[in-house]
Every structure is written in C-alpha cells, then in structure tokens.
Amino acid sequence: MVSAPVLVGVDGSPEGLEAVTVAAREARLRGIGLRVVHAFFWPMMRVPLEPSSMGPPEGGLRNQAEQVVAEAVRHARGAEPGVEAEGAVVTGDTLPVMVEESRGAALTVVGSRGLGAFVGLLLGSTAVHLAAHGHCPVLVVRGEGDPAREGPVVAGVDGSPSGEAAIEFAFAEASMRGTGLVAVHAWSPWKAEAPPPQDPAEPYASGSGDLAANEERVLAEALAGRQERYPDVSVDRRVLRGGPREALIEASREAALVVVGARGRGGFAGMLLGSVSQALLHHADCPVAVVRAEPDKR
C-alpha cells in the first residue's frame, strides 16, 4: 500500500468484525487500503504457540491468531470488495502495538468491546489510551444496531485551537459520506468568556444577551472559510446553553458519527484527553472520532 491505510484492530470478537466493517467503509471513502492487525501477546508469556502433538494441525495459539486476521480480512473484502485489505499478526500487547501501528495510518478504528486484551474497552482503557497517544485520528465504534448507519456528522465546537483539526476532519468526513454536518457549540454562563467592552477604558461587563451573542460568534469563527472549501456540505449550526457532554451525547442519537477534539477549551494542563471526549467514548450512541490537534507522525 503506497498511501497510509486505515488501521483496524481485531481480536476475534463479533464487535471486532463490526469495527472491520466501519474501517473498510472508511478506507473506501478515502480511496486507500485497509490494514487489519491482531496484537499477539502470547509469545511474551512464554507459553507453547505451535499445535500440540495430541491435537489437530490447525490448532495452537499462533494458528488461532492467524485465523482471526484471515477471517477479518475476508469480512472486509466482503463488506467493501473494492478495498485492498491486508492483515498482520504483530507480537506485543494491544496498546503499544496499536499506538505504534498508528504511526503509518491515516485513521485507526477500534471496537467498543471485545475479547482478551480488548476487555475493558467500554470503560475507556484502550479507547482513551489510543485517542490520547495515537498518531492519527481514532474512530471508536460505539452504539447499538448498524455501525455504518446513515445520518449527519456531528462536530463538537468549542472555539479552542485544538478543536480546529477536529472541525476540518468533520467537514471532510461529511463531504466523503455525502451527508450534512451538525456543528454543536454548547456553553454555560458560568464558563463563557465575557466579550471585551467596546471602550477599552470601561470594565468588563456583560449586557443582556452579550454572552449568547459572543458564543454565536465563537461558532461562526470556528466554521469560517470551511463552508467555502466544502460547498457540498450543508451545515446545521446549533448554539445550545448547557453542558457539551450532554448536548453531544443527545446529538449522537441521530448521528452517523460524532467528531471531537482530544482536548478542548478549559482543559487541565497536561491532560491528553478531555472530559467531553472521554464521556462520548463511554456513552455516545454512534461511532466517535477523536482528533488530536497535531498528530505526531514522527
């Protein structure tokens, strides 16, 4: 594969195959290949890997791992016949393997539940780690029903510099999917930044409606210029008074994908993943893409 592929991690679970379906679709939308990876940690446990002399020749842990990957590749080709899919069994624990593999990927896709090392993903162990440390955007397949359901792309907008990459990703994703974009900016009067006074000599003070008007500007400025670059994407702008976590989780009920930045405005220094992103990874009703401001491709 010449260009960076979509990367998907599999473990032999049905949820892993759902992630393969989504990853294959993402690869087809981008016109790139798909890389299916299974992290094989058993060699580090110093246990027998080859078939037992008492068992069938297709037995053994190594053969099982290869069968997991082969089944996932067949599933990907069946879901998207035009996508070039390759598979690999990579020795190592799931987290370091997936982080390292993400260096050469355009997008990493993982399921929300699974087997073996993927147990606990619903609680955020693997998803949060990859979203915080991966070297490309991470898409976590969440929600019930069809993981490739139709609907708009929802983007969480907070006006922070780190959210710029997420908004760009959301526009591109909506354009590739041929769907609309719902741009959600939720704010609270306790956290909103007061607009500066027109006269610099005057003290900061908010008149009636000033905070709401300022938050409208935050959304408008975040979207400025992108609608011109993506004229095929219709944008539904929503400025909501309330918590961003609740607003985005509610919006996820009718969305095909929710896109957020890894960290937003007001995050604690040193945090690699913000509270809004983590809440969506736990509770969203559709797949969630977490986009870091500057993916590290070194």
Side-chain angles (χ1 to χ4, degrees):
M1 299 180 183
V2 177
S3 58
V6 171
L7 170 69
V8 61
V10 296
D11 59 6
S13 67
E15 290 78 13
L17 291 182
E18 287 185 359
V20 170
T21 299
V22 173
R25 182 187 186 191
E26 293 293 326
R28 189 254 300 167
L29 290 173
R30 290 164 169 76
I32 58 180
L34 176 67
R35 180 170 170 80
V36 179
V37 168
H38 174 72
F40 189 48
F41 66 93
W42 289 111
M44 304 186 320
M45 306 298 291
R46 301 182 182 279
V47 298
L49 305 178
E50 305 306 326
S52 168
S53 59
M54 304 292 290
E58 66 273 13
L61 294 173
R62 189 179 301 279
N63 282 339
Q64 290 177 14
E66 292 174 352
Q67 289 166 14
V68 165
V69 171
E71 179 186 10
V73 170
R74 286 194 297 270
H75 185 86
R77 291 170 178 167
E80 298 289 349
V83 171
E84 180 185 350
E86 67 174 23
V89 175
V90 181
T91 299
D93 284 334
T94 301
L95 296 179
V97 164
M98 293 299 294
V99 169
E100 183 60 29
E101 286 282 330
S102 73
R103 289 183 182 275
L107 174 72
T108 296
V109 180
V110 291
S112 63
R113 294 178 298 276
L115 303 170
F118 281 90
V119 170
L121 183 58
L122 187 60
L123 300 179
S125 60
T126 300
V128 170
H129 187 94
L130 282 175
H133 297 282
H135 302 283
C136 65
V138 175
L139 195 161
V140 179
V141 180
R142 282 201 45 80
E144 302 297 332
D146 182 6
R149 70 185 184 187
E150 300 298 324
V153 172
V154 171
V157 181
D158 64 2
S160 68
S162 63
E164 290 292 307
I167 297 171
E168 185 68 26
F169 181 95
F171 265 96
E173 191 73 25
S175 180
M176 288 187 293
R177 291 169 178 250
T179 190
L181 175 69
V182 178
V184 177
H185 175 58
W187 66 282
S188 164
W190 302 106
K191 296 182 179 180
E193 296 181 4
Q198 294 184 354
D199 184 349
E202 295 179 0
Y204 273 73
S206 297
S208 177
D210 284 355
L211 287 179
N214 189 59
E215 298 304 321
E216 293 277 359
R217 285 193 293 273
V218 168
L219 179 59
E221 290 172 1
L223 301 178
R226 289 190 171 87
Q227 288 187 271
E228 288 74 14
R229 296 204 304 276
Y230 296 95
D232 57 321
V233 177
S234 62
V235 180
D236 177 5
R237 304 184 181 200
R238 300 182 186 178
V239 178
L240 307 175
R241 183 168 174 173
R245 285 173 287 187
E246 295 78 8
L248 290 170
I249 289 171
E250 179 62 29
S252 75
R253 303 187 193 285
E254 298 181 359
L257 176 69
V258 173
V259 182
V260 290
R263 288 186 59 226
R265 185 171 61 179
F268 290 101
M271 284 186 64
L272 293 176
L273 200 63
S275 61
V276 173
S277 304
Q278 294 196 46
L280 285 164
L281 292 179
H282 284 74
H283 302 296
D285 197 49
C286 69
V288 177
V290 180
V291 184
R292 294 177 62 188
E294 296 180 359
D296 184 0
K297 304 297 283 189
R298 291 177 297 175

